[in-house]
Amino acid sequence: MTSGRADAVKTGRIQRAAEIGYIVLVFVVALVLWREAGKLPPAPYDPLGPAAFPRWAAYGLAALGVAMTVRLLLGGGLGRAAQSLVSGLDGAAEHDLKPWTAVLTLMLALAYAGVLSLRSIPFVLCTGVYLFAAGAILGPFQGRRLAVVGLFAVVASVTLELLFRRLFSLDLP
Amino acid sequence: MTRFTRRTVIAGAAAAAALPLAGRGARAAGFPEKPIRTIIPIAPGGQTDVLARLLQQTIDKNKLLPQPLVIVNNAAAGGTAGTRTVRDAEADGYTIGMFHMGLLTAPAMGVVDYDHTAFEMIGQVGRTPIGLGVTATSRFKTIQDLIAEAKAKPDTITVAMNIGLLPHFVPLMFQQDAGIRLRYVQSGGGAVRLKSLLGNHTEVSLFASSEFVLYKEQGIKPLVMFSESRVPDLPDVPTAREIGVKTVFEERVMAFAPKGTPRDRLDVVAKALQAALDDPEVVSRLTALGIERRFVDGAKLRATLDELKGPIVTVGQEVRKAQAEQAAAEKKP
Amino acid sequence: MTLTDAFIHLFTMKAFLVMVSGVGLGVLVGVLPGITAGMLMALTLPFTYHMSSVDAITLLISMFVGGVSGGLITATLMRIPGEPNSVMTCLDGYQLAKKGFPGRALGLGNASSVVGGALSWLALVLMAPPIASAAVALGPFENFALIMMALILISSLSEGSFLKGLSAGLLGMLVAFPGIDESSGIMRLTFGSAELEGGFNSLPVILGMFAVSQVVADALNIDEKTDAIEASMNGMFVTLRDYVLHGWNMLRSSLIGIWIGILPGVGATIASIVAYTTARNLSKTPDAFGRGSEEAIVASESANNATTGGTLIPLLTLGIAGGLTDSILLGALVIHNLQPGPLLFKNNPEIVNTIFATHLVAHLVMFAMMTFGISIFARLMKLPKAFILPMVIVFSVLGAFALNSRSFDIWVMLGFGVLGILLEAAKVPLAPFVVGLVLAPVAESELRAGLMASAGSFSPLVERPIALTVLVISAGLFVWPFIREWRRARLA
């Protein structure tokens, strides 16, 4: 019970930190937007010009930022979204969470995109290696499983290459 | 499709892996040794895109080149992302572009800092007559009516335009040459401008001759064309010159390559494009699309563009003048 | 060729095969996250040159219909939108599946899709010309008011946290700012970067926020036992009672879908969000939304399929294309020497009738395929996550890249994936973000076009009766959730 309550306090704290972070983001974005909008020339034909909407958005964000700060300072919460469009990030799970697996998955995706955009390594090779590496970290390191993942990676990457580059003559990275 | 045995799949993978290396150090004698990337800076489906794909298909079908053209659409940033890709590509003939007069209007708008001189011109593959039109029920029966009204009440007649492209620039040129002032309203592509006119939200707009033929049924009527002489499809419509306004302008679709691409490679592509334009199927399609099929070689095209650049730049200054007026109006109240 | 002939022709061997393969491929890319129907159609376009115009149109329309529908499966079974327009189905479809009723969720979604499609077909066939002339009468000010009415939904979508929701909507709007300003041709907010001049395309942004972030979240929960999803596919077949029970919702959501389909540049994603929010606002059990509500699935899936008929109206009668799929259809027509407009109806009735017939029959084929295909796809989804999740990333990368052949779009997608995770962690609602992202540019260009025509005067907004009426309704819709929450707080 006590540990449960401690957890609740901890999530409460994380939630608050995230909210403060969000407010900071809102203010920073509003400031950048307002500054950039100030640099824009007027449009040739309409009175609003390219700057009006960004400027309005900046004012709106700043006002909402102030309102959120006041609410936090008064000790109130900001509430939480009634629906979440990405599930499984709220930490309320009965199973073990694997934060490092998640971080590695993201890193691998970034690395894959990075290597692809260099355009010097063939698509089929990048994709094969990526599919294998990303598949490997999403489960236990057992010889048999890794072999299956490897086979899948080869088949999938070659199929994609044939389908998209050969059949559809797409200009793959 | 051939059936894939395990061996062909492996062979395919090996060939695929080797592909990007194949073209390295290619000599002109064997050009092209790999597919030519053809960048179309507009979204799939537009007239320039349709023309480019038609030529690509014909080149492929008639084996006019040993390797295919691979069409890549990049419509980002009003086409400038695509032209930039061509400009920055390696000048080895394996990257070319096909675009319309946006190549000249974008620098005049100040969106990019390079014009047609930043490229090698391969040639002009199509040309479309353009003109101004109104609805059949419009208060303007002739172009003279419109000019008279615009002189009497400047800045009241609304023009549906597509900013930064010909439906914006050509009415501006006409306005300068005729000494009138119109009011410009951002609208969009041909069909969107048609809708704007039909709903009486705007009064005048620029259309291609083929669009005039097509939209006749919907009640759009051409008032003036900007060709050298009368357009065969629209024999009753006067040219600007006939009414004493000097504006002459046409939409062109051009093929170009990065600066420094070897002349002999450009010629290989130009020859293929020219041959494709003579294909009977292409002839009938282009006639239906209202595109003049005459191929103009790179040097001639370059000279024409150099000539057209002048009026476009002047019009660009007109746009900046309008901007300055808007700024002044903002400070005043 | 009359409409009857067109229907009969569809059931000849070749035409039927073309249609079935079109629908099948469409459903398949709909299921695959990242690969959209637009991409499939763009890739298929060159192959249609050598087909007869009737076959080409049959194929593309079938793909169009199949693509809108397939996203439902991935959304329900994996909680990843297979197509952007199934974002809202993720919410309740997955929850219902998790409770042990995946068959029910998919069956309802499938039934709603076919009903939405059929109703939009009726609108298309019976009322295309009058709807088109009504749409022509709507000018920039009316369009602006109509877009505002949808934009205002941000407040409904923010329930639980208005401040966060409204700010998320504004953040979404500003994602659309960088790049060339459509109304003035001026580059803005590019920070001197040539890549940013192309702006953020909404597809990579949505893919990142909902597909990439969900993959990372799934990696975090890789040890979760998902036995609920393995439950039976019972309830796949929706009974007559269900159609009666959900009939009004299906009709209303389909009308919303048709209306949004006609509006230029808005699209199926917004249609399903609007229908979802409307259903929630009118529901007797609004709290069930997001927790596996059947009404929610019905609303979202009827609306996104109903846009198919809606978009075809301006496309066929005027030649106006609102989005990528429409411009490809338009391109296909042009390639085959067919120009949309009243002339098309007169000179090429065989094409118009083929489009009409295919639109309806493709929906029925889609329904049959989904009914029988769902169990196969469901088995596919039971493959280890170690296969599926990396493939989702690969498909998303391909999908983002193929759009404009820019590596930049891949980075945008991954970047917004990270942003999605962070915002979700801060419990910021993401739906308003999407609404802002898609609608703000349309609202801005319509308003500014109106001001160009009126020489800077805002007065047409209140002088034009349609614009005024719509704006008043919008204001009411905007304050309604505030009032409701306030009343609820007082009662509690």
Side-chain angles (χ1 to χ4, degrees), chain C residues 73-98:
Chain C
I73 299 179
T74 333
T76 305
L77 296 176
M78 292 180 64
R79 212 183 188 288
I80 292 178
E83 290 273 307
N85 64 44
S86 53
V87 162
M88 294 318 272
T89 314
C90 288
L91 287 172
D92 293 83
Y94 182 77
Q95 290 297 334
L96 195 56
K98 217 175 169 184

Side-chain angles (χ1 to χ4, degrees), chain A residues 30 33-40 48 50-61, chain B residues 330, chain C residues 177 188-189:
Chain A
L33 204 58
W34 178 75
R35 277 194 48 183
E36 288 296 311
K39 293 181 200 161
L40 288 171
L48 291 182
F53 270 71
R55 201 172 275 144
W56 294 344
Y59 295 152
L61 280 174
Chain B
E330 250 169 60
Chain C
F177 288 142
R188 59 175 170 181
L189 299 168

Side-chain angles (χ1 to χ4, degrees), chain C residues 179-226:
Chain C
I180 204 158
D181 166 32
E182 259 189 62
S183 312
S184 67
I186 294 170
M187 289 291 178
R188 59 175 170 181
L189 299 168
T190 58
F191 303 95
S193 138
E195 298 284 17
L196 264 180
E197 287 184 1
F200 297 113
N201 228 297
S202 64
L203 180 73
V205 172
I206 293 178
L207 271 179
M209 283 206 122
F210 302 113
V212 174
S213 58
Q214 190 62 52
V215 166
V216 175
D218 282 353
L220 178 70
N221 294 293
I222 192 75
D223 283 350
E224 187 179 10
K225 303 262 182 299
T226 49

Side-chain angles (χ1 to χ4, degrees), chain B residues 12-27:
Chain B
L19 185 75
L21 302 171
R24 294 283 150 82
R27 274 156 289 117

Side-chain angles (χ1 to χ4, degrees), chain B residues 53 57 72 84 183 217 288, chain C residues 49-50 197 337 346 405 453:
Chain B
R53 284 169 187 269
Q57 288 287 312
V72 179
R84 203 187 292 270
R183 188 191 288 175
E217 192 85 356
Chain C
Y49 288 12
H50 307 304
E197 287 184 1
N337 239 335
K346 209 192 223 170
S405 319

Side-chain angles (χ1 to χ4, degrees), chain C residues 149-201:
Chain C
M149 196 154 99
L151 197 56
I152 243 63
L153 289 175
I154 287 178
S155 80
S156 280
L157 289 167
S158 312
E159 268 183 82
S161 177
F162 284 112
L163 294 174
K164 282 180 184 174
L166 295 181
S167 51
L170 286 174
L171 288 176
M173 281 185 198
L174 74 90
V175 170
F177 288 142
I180 204 158
D181 166 32
E182 259 189 62
S183 312
S184 67
I186 294 170
M187 289 291 178
R188 59 175 170 181
L189 299 168
T190 58
F191 303 95
S193 138
E195 298 284 17
L196 264 180
E197 287 184 1
F200 297 113
N201 228 297

